[in-house]
Amino acid sequence: MSAFSEIQSLVPAIRSGSIRAIARGLSWIEAGGDRAEALSERLYQYTKGSSILGITGAPGAGKSTLVAALIKEIRSRSFTVGVLAVDPSSPFSGGAILGDRIRMNDVSGDEGVFIRSMATRGVLGGLCRAAADGVDLLCASGKDFVIVETVGVGQDEIDIMRLAHTTVVVSVPGLGDEVQALKAGIIEIADIHVVNKADREGASQTIAELQSLLAMKTAGRNGWNPPVLASIATEGVGMSQLLDLIEGHRMFLRTSGEMDRQLRIIAEARVLNIAQHLLAQRFGDSKTGSEGFLRKQIERVVVRELSPHRCAREVFDRTQYKTEQETRLSSNV
Amino acid sequence: MSAFSEIQSLVPAIRSGSIRAIARGLSWIEAGGDRAEALSERLYQYTKGSSILGITGAPGAGKSTLVAALIKEIRSRSFTVGVLAVDPSSPFSGGAILGDRIRMNDVSGDEGVFIRSMATRGVLGGLCRAAADGVDLLCASGKDFVIVETVGVGQDEIDIMRLAHTTVVVSVPGLGDEVQALKAGIIEIADIHVVNKADREGASQTIAELQSLLAMKTAGRNGWNPPVLASIATEGVGMSQLLDLIEGHRMFLRTSGEMDRQLRIIAEARVLNIAQHLLAQRFGDSKTGSEGFLRKQIERVVVRELSPHRCAREVFDRTQYKTEQETRLSSNV
């Protein structure tokens, strides 16, 4: 069967929520390439309607347990949910560290839940591209909630969190300073803070610290003040409140007009990311191509005749915008 | 004073090793923009000669202490050293978490040491660009060793580590599984493994695990088998051996021809990164420009008339290579 006719049958199967079809589509997306792009292209029009949640936090904060508990809460309200656990730490081995197998056991046999890990694509921004398409696929499968989970430590994870309508950042009392500091960068993308393992010593102090940190940052918040919630995910404590807060944030996004602004930012970031990827491809082609211009210039950089900056400008000066007339827009179909 | 004449005087001052000039140049590079590029452009030709070390590892592995101990060893052999501690975790606050102040106290007043933190530039690949220019600056300042240190958890850090000739990955016994797993991705870029805090329980097990992992990966190593070294950085234990191993690896790179291959890979990655940044700039310009083509297309993505993939292709199809004749190469100066 050709890839084209496979896509023809896969798209409706994904839309009907078939677990096999969803798994297959995500495998394509993870593998990347033309087939993945063609599938994502076809699915994009059906992505509307899901509530997209980002869940992140320092290693050891109990994100996986919290996601499992939140899934139960979502299911108890008769909503469906898809989870993409994104692991940016293994660009070479392709392994996934998140405890998805454990969680899978909790919910196996439930057709209303789909959980999947996705590992780094090994190229700049590649994981974020694949994660964005994976989230789209889960949205197109008709899930009420789509959760994207990362270990919140780097720029990649922050970019991935930006795909979400509502971002939940999970902290935990009593982690070492350096580990805690890792979440400094993601504090500012949090719409909701959860202090998990709230029965541990130091929980109230962690909550107080977060709240005083947030009190300094009310400006620029566009009217939403991120609440701080205590939870004990292993016992399901706080999950009902968490889902209420998530629904409340969604309501806020819709009534304030923030949702439109956010969707625009997401779209711009995705388009730029893909365009940069296309540049990298062209770069790769020209590097190995017969012309050898770029290859010669790289050699000049190696021997320090030419700086990387100037070489990049030369490469880039060879590209230019066509005028609108010259460009036959492929979108008019 | 104009930026141009400032650069005129800054370049020789940096080359003479002036701490003030180095600090100033790094501030420019961290701030980014035309001034940073002009400075980096001028310094690039003088970057030869330094041994560039990358040091990374999971949070809590004791990297900062190890760097401090390694600096002492380097100084005891009368070499000079510059350190760039790169912190990818704070794209918004711009803060640095690495313990550079503590280390600074240990070596303050020593003109043969320069230590500086650098925080995320907040844009895709921006930190890596700035780190690359920062390393160049320290090389141009005549340091025998240039150390670039990151918390090894994401793609950014791995990209930064690729700037180094020799990469040292620091592990530690007894960290939690999830935290340890974070380094899975960076194991494969390690030229030398250090198991720090080797007086802790479980050290020999950690060393054995690493060694069995490495034994499976001898293929594709280009002739270098990464050694595993035990250290107790707080007491300086293992530092002399570590520096010997670093020198040994450098010797290997030179005699095997691997150094040339590595320099070419570094140059290519840097040029592509900068070219992608230029694309992002053009993207930003056209987004706000009077034409509004891109702005209109983004709106179509938001309402799901157009997929991000197709939109990116349209944007990118508007760029094309000029032929070599058309391009007046700005490098011929």
Side-chain angles (χ1 to χ4, degrees):
Chain A
M1 207 192 264
S2 75
F4 177 73
S5 58
E6 273 191 281
I7 289 173
Q8 292 286 73
S9 59
L10 200 53
V11 167
I14 288 168
R15 291 191 66 203
S16 75
S18 153
I19 285 179
R20 274 192 61 185
I22 296 170
R24 185 153 193 205
L26 286 173
S27 295
W28 285 18
I29 286 169
E30 202 173 22
D34 290 346
R35 194 178 55 171
E37 186 175 333
L39 177 64
S40 300
E41 173 73 37
R42 289 288 306 278
L43 288 172
Y44 186 69
Q45 59 192 303
Y46 306 118
T47 54
K48 209 165 183 174
S50 308
S51 185
I52 304 173
L53 311 181
I55 297 187
T56 191
K63 285 177 301 299
S64 297
T65 316
L66 188 129
V67 168
L70 185 60
I71 289 171
K72 280 185 190 164
E73 181 64 30
I74 289 170
R75 294 299 292 143
S76 78
R77 300 192 192 181
S78 299
F79 292 122
T80 56
V81 57
V83 180
L84 201 64
V86 183
D87 172 13
S89 67
S90 315
F92 299 94
S93 57
I97 59 164
L98 298 156
D100 50 306
R101 276 168 307 171
I102 297 158
R103 295 200 309 263
M104 275 303 247
N105 289 339
D106 288 348
V107 297
S108 66
D110 180 352
E111 290 267 326
V113 182
F114 185 94
I115 302 177
R116 170 75 169 244
S117 294
M118 186 176 267
T120 285
R121 301 283 319 121
V123 286
L124 190 73
L127 183 58
C128 193
R129 263 191 322 280
D133 290 340
V135 166
D136 274 358
L137 188 151
L138 291 173
C139 292
S141 80
K143 298 286 180 280
D144 298 307
F145 288 89
V146 172
I147 298 176
V148 54
E149 172 192 350
T150 69
V151 177
V153 278
Q155 188 62 47
D156 269 353
E157 294 83 333
I158 289 168
D159 289 341
I160 290 166
M161 282 300 111
R162 291 216 173 94
L163 298 170
H165 304 147
T166 301
T167 301
V168 178
V169 173
V170 187
S171 310
V172 69
L175 275 186
D177 269 358
E178 194 178 3
V179 173
Q180 285 285 343
L182 287 174
K183 68 183 166 42
I186 51 177
I187 274 190
E188 301 174 50
I189 58 164
D191 300 305
I192 298 167
H193 288 276
V194 175
V195 177
N196 193 30
K197 305 185 185 176
D199 47 350
R200 276 205 194 167
E201 203 180 339
S204 54
Q205 197 196 329
T206 303
I207 293 171
E209 280 172 12
L210 263 173
Q211 275 167 336
S212 67
L213 225 134
L214 291 167
M216 299 187 294
K217 305 232 180 200
T218 46
R221 275 275 167 214
N222 304 310
W224 176 261
N225 291 313
V228 180
L229 178 70
S231 78
I232 309 167
T234 49
E235 299 168 21
V237 173
M239 290 309 107
S240 175
Q241 270 174 284
L242 177 56
L243 193 51
D244 289 345
L245 287 173
I246 289 166
E247 297 273 34
H249 183 250
R250 187 171 166 83
M251 192 65 74
F252 160 79
L253 289 176
R254 284 185 165 169
T255 55
S256 65
E258 273 297 298
M259 184 64 104
D260 280 348
R261 204 180 68 93
Q262 216 178 44
L263 293 177
R264 198 165 294 116
I265 291 169
I266 293 170
E268 281 174 16
R270 288 185 66 179
V271 170
L272 174 59
N273 183 311
I274 297 166
Q276 287 183 320
H277 175 63
L278 293 170
L279 176 67
Q281 278 184 328
R282 176 177 287 188
F283 190 85
D285 291 347
S286 86
K287 217 169 63 190
T288 49
S290 57
E291 189 200 7
F293 166 75
L294 182 56
R295 210 168 41 205
K296 275 186 289 181
Q297 296 307 84
I298 294 284
E299 287 308 313
R300 294 183 63 203
V301 173
V302 169
V303 299
R304 292 180 181 73
E305 266 177 41
L306 184 67
S307 81
H309 290 277
R310 187 160 292 194
C311 180
R313 286 204 179 270
E314 282 181 21
V315 171
F316 199 72
D317 283 349
R318 294 185 145 223
T319 70
Q320 61 177 351
Y321 271 94
K322 297 178 192 172
T323 65
E324 193 140 5
Q325 289 91 326
E326 284 177 288
T327 311
R328 201 170 299 269
L329 295 179
S330 55
S331 66
N332 298 329
V333 287
Chain B
M1 206 192 265
S2 75
F4 178 73
S5 57
E6 274 190 280
I7 289 173
Q8 292 287 74
S9 59
L10 199 53
V11 167
I14 288 169
R15 291 190 64 204
S16 75
S18 154
I19 284 178
R20 273 193 62 185
I22 296 170
R24 184 153 193 204
L26 285 174
S27 296
W28 285 18
I29 286 169
E30 203 174 21
D34 290 347
R35 192 178 57 172
E37 185 174 332
L39 178 65
S40 300
E41 172 73 37
R42 290 289 304 281
L43 288 172
Y44 186 69
Q45 60 194 301
Y46 307 118
T47 53
K48 208 163 184 172
S50 307
S51 185
I52 304 174
L53 312 181
I55 297 188
T56 190
K63 286 177 300 300
S64 297
T65 316
L66 188 129
V67 169
L70 185 60
I71 290 171
K72 279 185 191 165
E73 181 64 31
I74 289 170
R75 295 298 293 144
S76 78
R77 300 191 192 181
S78 299
F79 292 121
T80 56
V81 57
V83 180
L84 200 63
V86 183
D87 173 12
S89 68
S90 315
F92 300 92
S93 56
I97 60 163
L98 298 156
D100 49 308
R101 276 168 306 172
I102 298 158
R103 295 199 309 261
M104 276 302 247
N105 288 340
D106 288 348
V107 296
S108 67
D110 180 352
E111 290 266 327
V113 183
F114 185 93
I115 302 179
R116 171 74 169 246
S117 293
M118 186 175 269
T120 284
R121 302 280 321 118
V123 286
L124 189 73
L127 182 59
C128 193
R129 266 193 318 280
D133 289 340
V135 166
D136 275 357
L137 188 152
L138 291 173
C139 291
S141 81
K143 298 285 178 283
D144 298 307
F145 288 89
V146 173
I147 297 176
V148 54
E149 172 192 350
T150 70
V151 176
V153 278
Q155 188 61 49
D156 269 354
E157 296 84 335
I158 289 168
D159 290 341
I160 290 166
M161 281 301 110
R162 292 218 171 91
L163 297 170
H165 304 147
T166 301
T167 300
V168 178
V169 173
V170 187
S171 310
V172 68
L175 274 187
D177 269 357
E178 195 179 3
V179 174
Q180 284 285 345
L182 286 174
K183 65 182 169 41
I186 51 177
I187 274 191
E188 302 175 48
I189 57 166
D191 299 306
I192 297 167
H193 288 275
V194 175
V195 177
N196 193 31
K197 305 185 186 177
D199 48 349
R200 276 204 193 168
E201 202 180 339
S204 53
Q205 198 195 328
T206 303
I207 292 170
E209 280 171 12
L210 262 173
Q211 275 166 337
S212 67
L213 224 135
L214 291 167
M216 298 186 294
K217 306 233 179 202
T218 45
R221 275 273 166 218
N222 303 310
W224 175 260
N225 290 315
V228 180
L229 178 70
S231 78
I232 309 168
T234 48
E235 298 168 22
V237 173
M239 291 307 108
S240 174
Q241 270 174 284
L242 177 57
L243 194 50
D244 289 345
L245 286 174
I246 289 166
E247 298 272 36
H249 184 249
R250 188 174 167 80
M251 192 65 74
F252 160 79
L253 288 177
R254 283 182 166 170
T255 54
S256 65
E258 273 298 297
M259 185 65 105
D260 279 347
R261 204 180 69 93
Q262 215 177 44
L263 293 177
R264 197 164 295 118
I265 290 169
I266 293 170
E268 281 175 13
R270 289 185 66 179
V271 170
L272 174 59
N273 183 312
I274 297 166
Q276 287 183 320
H277 175 62
L278 293 171
L279 175 68
Q281 278 184 328
R282 176 177 288 189
F283 190 84
D285 292 347
S286 86
K287 216 169 62 189
T288 51
S290 57
E291 190 200 6
F293 166 75
L294 182 56
R295 211 167 41 206
K296 276 185 289 180
Q297 296 306 85
I298 293 285
E299 287 308 312
R300 295 183 62 203
V301 174
V302 169
V303 299
R304 293 180 178 75
E305 266 177 43
L306 185 67
S307 80
H309 290 276
R310 187 161 290 193
C311 181
R313 287 208 178 267
E314 283 181 20
V315 171
F316 199 72
D317 284 348
R318 293 186 146 222
T319 69
Q320 61 177 352
Y321 271 95
K322 295 179 192 171
T323 65
E324 194 141 4
Q325 289 90 326
E326 284 175 289
T327 310
R328 201 169 300 272
L329 295 180
S330 55
S331 66
N332 299 329
V333 287

